[in-house]
Amino acid sequence: MFYEIYPRSFADSNNDGIGDLNGIKAHLTYLENLGVDAIWISPCYPSPQKDFGYDVSDYENIDPMYGSLQDFDALEQAAQQDKIKVIMDFVPNHTSDQHKWFLDSRSSRTSAHRDWYIWRDGKGPGQPPNNWISDFGGPAWTYDPKTSQYYYHYFEAAQPDLNWRNPAVKDAMFDVTRFWYRHGVAGFRLDAVDTLFEDPQLRDNPLLDGKNEFGDREMVNKFNDNLPENHVILKQLRTIADEHDAVLVGETWTDNISQLKEYYGAKNDEIQMPMDFMFTTVNVLSASKFRAQIALQESAKEWPVYVISNHDMQRSYNRYGDGTHNDQIAKVMAGMYLTLRGTPIMYYGEELGMENNDPTRREDVKDPLGQAGWPVNKGRDGERTPMQWNDSTHAGFTSGTPWLPIPASYKSHNVATESADPNSVLVFYKNLLKLRRQNPALLDGEYIPLNQEDTNVLTYLRRVHHGSEAETVLVVLNMSASAQPVQVNLSAQSIVSSKREALLTTLGAAPSTNPADPIQMDPYSVYIAKLTR
Ligand code: GLC
Ligand code: CA
């Protein structure tokens, strides 16, 4: 299991209100006990923090607010001792406008780095080169009076896109990955990989009806998203990764399964772990919808990478919660994404049932996306609040003033309180992750859907073969608010079992061990059992 750490919000060691690398290091034992195999640290490089680190001004250093390169090395070494791998976030699409490359690039039309970014003349006075819009609202072009040209930015104006058609950019960026491999990192999470290349002719995108949440005209990003050239770069990054035995995790937003499959590479020579974000488009707790989404992923016959939330998305606790049974539902979600085939990526605090704490006033919004989209889009501050360590002031995150406010529910939902409660979300996660680690069927087994007509309960097997013997685990997840008797139909899969032994359950009453008997599933409940012959 991979665990995403948003470094500003994990643990603050020097009490300036912002998390840091020493804070992460101080909590490695917690992560080890939870069952984390690798931590992905969101960007902690020097940055003006316009997009909270995704605007990098130096790829080969650590921002002083998070510590130093020495602190990073110390964290890396401590993590190795705890058998936790460290994955860095690599932001190849754009730099900060304060990066020395961009400062030089914008200084004159003939500067050494001019062609490291995408500069063009406007179509006419006050008219950008084409109709492309920024993901953060407004045109994707900003006019720079110094040289009377526009520069291109898929995201914020402070995040100019690098020109990946320039071999010098490629070389410099590939070297950045080598720099971090030398510092011991086990791989990268690749940011915004679908936007590396743009149409060389910069053709206008086709328009759609209506306007988006920023008031811009809807369009198909035909000429600046998902260009085939992206895959060439990813394959080259993979070649370098292979030299270091490293893993590449992709922020791969895709519309369909064939697009996702492409990211693995036809010869498995691209990204080992492209995230399945189509899974996150299921925004209701629905057995049928999840079953269909899993089937789609399984149809690719690749190694799945499921996520249910991250620093760009409302927390799963709120997305799936009904307001009354949120803890039970959090366990059902864990029971699903941690028992499916593949490598799940967990967002910090998910294991506690941390909830969103969205800003209520525009002046409180820190995220540029929320500032541009208010009030329709309140931005991403709500899912980035400090980790909840205990029930003391500021949840034990800092003794200073935390950079974002902590939701009131930290009083009950925190590491210390939940560790002492056998029925907490945290203890459930721990038990489940421990089971997953020890159980070959859950780790490597095939996924076999059962009871496919059931709209309330998601039921499946995970099965692994050792020679002629099979090890089989049954997973039953009641995603509905009512009790459900579940008759598991094993014969359809020609599975012979005489005994069903619970491995982990949230059920009030233990079901019969006879596989022929129905399982009485409580509302929003989990039952995981071993089937023996
Ligand atoms: C990715 C990051 C997001 C950031 C954007 C621009 O989508 O996950 O947080 O704003 O890239 O770098
Ligand atoms: Ca700090």
Side-chain angles (χ1 to χ4, degrees), residues 270-307:
E270 212 168 302
I271 301 177
Q272 298 101 318
M273 289 177 54
M275 297 184 220
D276 179 0
F277 285 115
M278 292 176 293
F279 197 70
T280 66
T281 63
V282 180
N283 270 327
V284 284
L285 192 67
S286 153
S288 328
K289 291 202 165 112
F290 278 119
R291 185 181 296 121
Q293 208 54 49
I294 298 162
L296 196 65
Q297 167 66 255
E298 285 288 326
S299 73
K301 301 207 178 342
E302 302 284 358
W303 184 252
V305 181
Y306 292 111
V307 287

Side-chain angles (χ1 to χ4, degrees), residues 35 42 50 84 99 117 132 137 150 161 203 205 240 256 273 299 304 306 322 324 337 342 390 421 431 434 502 512 523:
S42 294
K50 282 269 170 62
I84 295 176
H99 194 291
Y117 296 84
W132 299 353
Y150 287 82
D161 272 48
R203 277 169 284 183
N205 278 329
I240 303 169
N256 54 57
M273 289 177 54
S299 73
Y306 292 111
D322 67 348
T324 331
Y337 87 111
N390 58 44
D421 172 5
N431 291 339
K434 194 165 158 203
S512 141

Side-chain angles (χ1 to χ4, degrees), residues 51 54 94 136 155 159 189 191 251 311-312 380 384:
D51 189 19
Y54 284 97
H94 49 270
F136 283 55
F155 297 97
Q159 296 169 299
R189 174 265 188 186
D191 185 67
E251 191 203 10
H311 65 285
D312 294 328
R380 300 162 293 181
R384 298 175 173 180

Side-chain angles (χ1 to χ4, degrees), residues 259-524:
Q259 264 180 22
L260 183 63
K261 193 170 164 64
E262 230 184 309
Y263 279 111
Y264 289 88
K267 299 187 207 106
N268 269 310
D269 52 358
E270 212 168 302
I271 301 177
Q272 298 101 318
M273 289 177 54
M275 297 184 220
D276 179 0
F277 285 115
M278 292 176 293
F279 197 70
T280 66
T281 63
V282 180
N283 270 327
V284 284
L285 192 67
S286 153
S288 328
K289 291 202 165 112
F290 278 119
R291 185 181 296 121
Q293 208 54 49
I294 298 162
L296 196 65
Q297 167 66 255
E298 285 288 326
S299 73
K301 301 207 178 342
E302 302 284 358
W303 184 252
V305 181
Y306 292 111
V307 287
I308 59 172
S309 64
N310 68 22
H311 65 285
D312 294 328
M313 203 177 287
Q314 190 190 34
R315 282 191 175 272
S316 56
Y317 196 77
N318 302 82
R319 288 221 317 288
Y320 301 107
D322 67 348
T324 331
H325 307 91
N326 286 19
D327 281 7
Q328 286 103 303
I329 293 172
K331 292 176 195 172
V332 171
M333 287 304 292
M336 175 176 64
Y337 87 111
L338 301 179
T339 65
L340 287 174
R341 203 173 65 82
T343 302
I345 305 184
M346 183 191 301
Y347 187 44
Y348 80 96
E350 207 153 72
E351 73 275 26
L352 304 176
M354 259 177 74
E355 63 177 352
N356 258 65
N357 195 25
D358 293 324
T360 52
R361 305 181 312 173
R362 189 194 181 138
E363 56 266 40
D364 297 331
V365 178
K366 300 245 170 21
D367 180 13
L369 201 63
Q371 286 166 351
W374 190 270
V376 185
N377 185 334
K378 296 192 168 63
R380 300 162 293 181
D381 294 347
E383 56 261 30
R384 298 175 173 180
T385 61
M387 176 71 174
Q388 296 161 192
W389 294 104
N390 58 44
D391 67 358
S392 71
T393 321
H394 307 320
F397 164 73
T398 185
S399 57
T401 307
W403 79 286
L404 284 176
I406 297 166
S409 57
Y410 85 91
K411 282 279 178 196
S412 54
H413 289 71
N414 63 70
V415 174
T417 305
E418 290 189 48
S419 296
D421 172 5
N423 292 318
S424 67
V425 176
L426 177 60
V427 169
F428 183 78
Y429 261 87
K430 273 195 185 161
N431 291 339
L432 182 52
L433 286 163
K434 194 165 158 203
L435 173 65
R436 186 187 143 85
R437 268 209 174 159
Q438 294 165 347
N439 191 295
L442 288 179
L443 275 183
D444 292 320
E446 59 188 316
Y447 163 84
I448 304 170
L450 295 176
N451 297 16
Q452 299 214 52
E453 303 306 315
D454 194 331
T455 54
N456 296 307
V457 182
L458 186 65
T459 305
Y460 50 87
L461 300 176
R462 297 291 311 283
R463 181 173 58 176
V464 77
H465 296 274
H466 319 280
S468 59
E469 283 300 292
E471 202 169 316
T472 310
V473 170
L474 168 70
V475 180
V476 188
L477 305 161
N478 184 0
M479 298 195 159
S480 80
S482 50
Q484 303 283 336
V486 176
Q487 183 72 55
V488 180
N489 183 3
L490 290 174
S491 57
Q493 296 295 332
S494 22
I495 286 168
V496 187
S497 169
S498 61
K499 199 167 177 211
R500 190 166 65 193
E501 286 169 274
L503 294 168
L504 184 64
T505 123
T506 62
L507 301 183
S512 141
T513 57
N514 180 353
D517 292 340
I519 306 163
Q520 298 301 330
M521 294 294 291
D522 299 336
Y524 304 118

